[in-house]
Amino acid sequence: MAWDYSTKAPRKTARSLLIALGCAALSFCVQQVLAEDYFNPALLDIDTPGQGKTDLSLYEKGPGIAPGSYQVDVYVNNNKVANRKIAFGLQQSTSGPATLQPCLSVETLKSLGIQSDKFSVTKDDGCVDLSGLPAASATFRPGQQQLLLSIPQAAITPVPHGYVAPEEMDNGINAFLLNYSYSAGDSRSRGEDGGHQRNEYLNLRPGLNLGAWRLRNYSTWSQTRDDSTTQRDFSSVYSYAQRNILSLGSVVTLGQSSTPSDVFDSLSFTGAQLASDDDMLPDSLKGFAPRIRGVAHSNAQVVVRQNGYVIYQNYVAPGAFEINDLYPTGGSGDLNVTVKETDGSEQHFVVPYASVPVLQREGRFKYSLTGGRYRSYDHSVEKTPFLQGSGIYGLPYDITAYGGIQTSQYYDALALGTGKNIGDWGAFSVDITAAKSQMQGQKTSRGRAWRVRYSKDFVTTGTHFTVAGYRYNSAGFDTMADVLDSHTRNDDWSPADRRRNRQEATVDQSLGDTMGSLTLSLVKENYWHSDQSMTSLSVGYNGSWHGISYGINYGLSKNVQDEDEDNQRESEQTFGFNVSVPLDRWLSNTWVNYTLNNSKHDTSQSIGLNGTALADNNLSWGGAAGSQPRLRLQHQPEQRLQSHLRRNDGGLFSG
């Protein structure tokens, strides 16, 4: 049999072609079906008179979600700033399908940290048109419940790190709180005339939070007992009620407190005060606390007074010491430090406590208004009514203008000043105060005081000028505190010498992570119509090696008193060395210390053991033994001692 190949081949080819065309047509039909989603609206129709056909075009060609209000996380330039309910509306697009866009009012944009005045177009419905700002856009992610806003940085309100919006602040809970500290010391002297003395000191800071009000008190109690007498003293540094006014960024204080020290020297008062509250600012914008450094020749008691009140008291081991945990008293003023040695001798020195130059950010206004009666630690001083107001405002170009007034029955003063940030050269402020005053039993006097302050950090060299200042007073100038203190019932009161000029500086120099640091402090004063002057200088070096800390200190103290007083010139140089070795290998939280101190009066050395215990190391303990010549204690009448402290006499200090 023979096959006819000429007729079979065309039939097979035609069959294959038909199959290929069929598959292509089927693929085309499938693609057409998948191109669009189709929902049968008849499934949602309700047989109700007047009911129209359901429109599902929003889900077929639109954003896939209906317009309305949604709870979303709001992101501005990829930073989450809020979670709130936002209204979304349908917006048609000429280049694509319709999208949901947020309706953001001017107030909403401000609350999100966006400067709404940068947008020039607001629609009739009150929604801001983001197209008014170039490159601004809004994207809604319904699946993640997120609204992404892309805003140019020029339209973003600068927010400091840690900023908390006023509307997110509350009054907290009602609570009672109590902070306290207790210290005690016991000393015994050998020999025929030796004695026994015990000192105790208690610091109490109770408080009560009730609604928007805060009640606070700061009280101290001390007791000194020896072989024959017992002396006790209890005093209240302040008691006040306080509440915040969030809309003003201010705080109202009723009771006993202190005025700010930005423009004038701080004054203690009993009355009322309305002032800007820095606690409402982020932590990065708050000020600093003073530090006290010095040298003790034995297990000494350190007492710190500010404005006449004892604000700190504790015991330190022999050698160099540093106090950096002072509780703020709400004001400023020099810290008068007394170091009481175990043999009865005392050191007196002054730590300058002044704020850095008065600079504020552009547009910030800081103010205070105070009215009340002057409150002195001396109860014989008249409680004179007074008023004080001050204001500080940040101007463009890093310039700050400030000023204030003080007025009372015996005193009137006006202060004006300015400060400037000079970039790499640091910052400074200069001001002048003109005053008219009348001290008790004296004629009215007038005078002026100039003050210049400077602050700078040299990052490359690790040098830090905490405060460098100079103050010049004319012969007729007095501060309000000096004048009001003169109106007293004390019959033997005599006016203190008027300060002529004062220079002060504190410099810290870092020598690297392994070489330690150097500290230099200086205070110098002299007075009008008097030979009295005071100079206090200290230089210290501190370092560590494998957990062993050591320090070397040198101090120079010069005091010149009036010619009609004894001890017209007092000058003393001191040298100290200390080393502390941890004993963690045998006893945790325990150290052994050695100190050597030398002055023109004596040379002493001691070795001791100290440590901490209990939870959070709340208990400190220590003991020491050493050799030290016994010094003769020279008695000073109390009136002269008060004058001695007021004139900032004596020694070694480091701020």
Side-chain angles (χ1 to χ4, degrees):
M1 178 181 290
W3 294 93
D4 187 1
Y5 291 97
S6 60
T7 58
K8 294 290 184 180
R11 292 178 181 177
K12 186 176 181 180
T13 302
R15 188 184 305 114
S16 300
L17 181 60
L18 290 174
I19 293 173
L21 291 174
C23 291
L26 179 63
S27 175
F28 177 78
C29 293
V30 171
Q31 291 179 3
Q32 287 290 339
V33 172
L34 296 178
E36 294 181 0
D37 293 328
Y38 175 76
F39 298 91
N40 186 1
L43 299 175
L44 301 177
D45 289 345
I46 301 176
D47 189 11
T48 303
Q51 176 70 37
K53 296 294 183 180
T54 303
D55 183 11
L56 298 179
S57 60
L58 180 67
Y59 302 95
E60 294 175 352
K61 300 180 180 180
I65 185 171
S69 297
Y70 295 92
Q71 192 77 24
V72 295
D73 292 329
V74 182
Y75 288 79
V76 178
N77 296 343
N78 295 324
N79 295 318
K80 183 179 178 180
V81 296
N83 179 279
R84 63 182 58 186
K85 182 173 288 187
I86 301 292
F88 291 84
L90 193 63
Q91 179 176 321
Q92 299 294 333
S93 175
T94 58
S95 59
T99 60
L100 287 184
Q101 290 296 314
C103 178
L104 302 173
S105 64
V106 174
E107 292 75 15
T108 301
L109 289 173
K110 287 183 178 180
S111 66
L112 297 176
I114 301 172
Q115 300 179 28
S116 58
D117 55 349
K118 302 291 184 179
F119 301 97
S120 58
V121 180
T122 301
K123 295 180 287 187
D124 296 336
D125 56 1
C127 303
V128 175
D129 187 1
L130 294 180
S131 62
L133 184 68
S137 65
T139 303
F140 180 37
R141 293 180 177 177
Q144 293 79 20
Q145 293 295 100
Q146 294 176 347
L147 173 60
L148 308 181
L149 299 177
S150 178
I151 306 295
Q153 195 65 32
I156 300 296
T157 302
V159 179
H161 180 70
Y163 172 78
V164 178
E167 58 269 16
E168 297 181 6
M169 299 180 183
D170 57 42
N171 295 320
I173 63 173
N174 298 333
F176 173 78
L177 57 150
L178 176 64
N179 294 310
Y180 67 92
S181 64
Y182 175 80
S183 62
D186 194 279
S187 62
R188 299 176 184 271
S189 302
R190 296 180 178 179
E192 297 180 357
D193 56 349
H196 172 221
Q197 187 180 74
R198 178 175 178 81
N199 296 280
E200 296 177 87
Y201 174 77
L202 177 64
N203 179 309
L204 295 173
R205 300 188 300 276
L208 177 65
N209 296 346
L210 189 61
W213 289 94
R214 306 289 182 263
L215 308 179
R216 296 292 185 267
N217 174 263
Y218 188 8
S219 300
T220 61
W221 174 86
S222 61
Q223 177 177 271
T224 302
R225 292 186 297 177
D226 55 26
D227 296 333
S228 58
T229 61
T230 299
Q231 296 180 351
R232 295 184 180 89
D233 179 70
F234 179 84
S235 63
S236 176
V237 180
Y238 59 66
S239 297
Y240 62 81
Q242 193 176 75
R243 67 160 298 162
N244 295 325
I245 302 180
L246 297 180
S247 60
L248 299 178
S250 306
V251 61
V252 174
T253 303
L254 304 176
Q256 300 172 336
S257 187
S258 300
T259 61
S261 59
D262 299 318
V263 179
F264 298 105
D265 292 340
S266 181
L267 289 172
S268 297
F269 71 90
T270 301
Q273 178 175 270
L274 175 65
S276 303
D277 186 11
D278 287 341
D279 287 339
M280 296 184 185
L281 299 176
D283 292 339
S284 59
L285 302 181
K286 296 180 181 178
F288 65 96
R291 289 190 177 188
I292 297 175
R293 296 186 181 95
V295 176
H297 302 301
S298 62
N299 289 291
Q301 180 189 51
V302 180
V303 180
V304 182
R305 293 180 175 87
Q306 186 183 44
N307 298 325
Y309 292 96
V310 176
I311 63 172
Y312 183 90
Q313 182 172 312
N314 208 341
Y315 292 86
V316 297
F321 63 86
E322 181 182 66
I323 300 173
N324 56 12
D325 57 348
L326 287 177
Y327 186 82
T329 59
S332 183
D334 290 344
L335 303 178
N336 295 285
V337 184
T338 301
V339 181
K340 299 180 180 180
E341 305 289 350
T342 55
D343 63 353
S345 62
E346 294 184 359
Q347 300 179 51
H348 298 277
F349 57 88
V350 179
V351 175
Y353 178 22
S355 62
V356 293
V358 189
L359 294 178
Q360 298 292 321
R361 284 179 170 81
E362 179 179 345
R364 169 165 169 77
F365 179 62
K366 183 178 181 180
Y367 69 93
S368 70
L369 296 172
T370 306
R373 296 179 178 272
Y374 178 64
R375 182 171 63 97
S376 174
Y377 69 93
D378 186 353
H379 298 293
S380 64
V381 173
E382 179 182 337
K383 296 177 174 59
T384 306
F386 75 94
L387 293 173
Q388 175 177 309
S390 64
I392 309 171
Y393 185 71
L395 298 171
Y397 306 106
D398 295 331
I399 298 175
T400 297
Y402 59 95
I405 59 172
Q406 288 180 321
T407 181
S408 72
Q409 181 180 355
Y410 310 111
Y411 189 84
D412 295 291
L414 173 65
L416 294 173
T418 184
K420 179 71 172 70
N421 181 2
I422 50 179
D424 294 338
W425 296 94
F428 76 94
S429 66
V430 57
D431 55 63
I432 181 174
T433 302
K436 181 182 71 172
S437 59
Q438 182 180 11
M439 286 195 171
Q440 181 171 276
Q442 297 186 7
K443 296 181 179 180
T444 300
S445 63
R446 290 176 171 83
R448 294 177 300 277
W450 288 89
R451 181 176 60 174
V452 180
R453 290 178 290 181
Y454 174 79
S455 178
K456 169 63 180 171
D457 284 329
F458 296 91
V459 179
T460 56
T461 61
T463 306
H464 175 54
F465 283 99
T466 303
V467 172
Y470 175 80
R471 180 165 181 167
Y472 172 82
N473 299 346
S474 65
F477 180 82
D478 295 291
T479 64
M480 176 175 272
D482 291 336
V483 174
L484 299 186
D485 281 335
S486 70
H487 294 270
T488 174
R489 298 185 301 271
N490 192 348
D491 296 333
D492 59 352
W493 174 86
S494 60
D497 294 327
R498 284 190 170 105
R499 181 186 300 166
R500 182 171 185 173
N501 57 53
R502 172 186 174 100
Q503 303 95 36
E504 59 186 43
T506 302
V507 183
D508 293 318
Q509 175 65 58
S510 174
L511 302 179
D513 297 336
T514 59
M515 298 297 293
S517 63
L518 283 171
T519 301
L520 171 67
S521 298
L522 171 68
V523 172
K524 186 175 182 180
E525 286 185 353
N526 55 36
Y527 300 83
W528 283 100
H529 312 302
S530 173
D531 293 331
Q532 179 180 337
S533 66
M534 180 272 290
T535 302
S536 182
L537 168 71
S538 74
V539 181
Y541 169 77
N542 293 279
S544 63
W545 179 76
H546 293 288
I548 301 174
S549 59
Y550 53 89
I552 302 174
N553 295 273
Y554 169 79
L556 173 63
S557 174
K558 289 185 177 181
N559 295 278
V560 179
Q561 299 180 359
D562 292 334
E563 295 180 355
D564 57 348
E565 295 185 4
D566 297 333
N567 301 324
Q568 296 180 11
R569 296 181 180 271
E570 296 180 359
S571 177
E572 182 176 5
Q573 299 185 63
T574 60
F575 172 81
F577 170 76
N578 66 89
V579 61
S580 178
V581 181
L583 302 179
D584 290 339
R585 181 175 298 181
W586 302 278
L587 296 172
S588 61
N589 297 326
T590 305
W591 294 264
V592 60
N593 306 286
Y594 170 77
T595 62
L596 171 67
N597 296 286
N598 175 265
S599 67
K600 68 178 183 179
H601 299 293
D602 66 89
T603 298
S604 63
Q605 55 184 335
S606 66
I607 187 170
L609 194 68
N610 69 286
T612 59
L614 300 181
D616 299 326
N617 298 322
N618 284 333
L619 175 64
S620 300
W621 59 269
S627 62
Q628 180 177 10
R630 182 173 178 82
L631 300 180
R632 180 175 61 88
L633 177 62
Q634 182 178 0
H635 173 72
Q636 295 188 60
E638 183 174 349
Q639 175 62 27
R640 180 179 173 187
L641 177 60
Q642 290 181 357
S643 175
H644 187 76
L645 293 176
R646 286 176 55 82
R647 293 170 181 173
N648 301 329
D649 286 348
L652 176 66
F653 90 97
S654 178

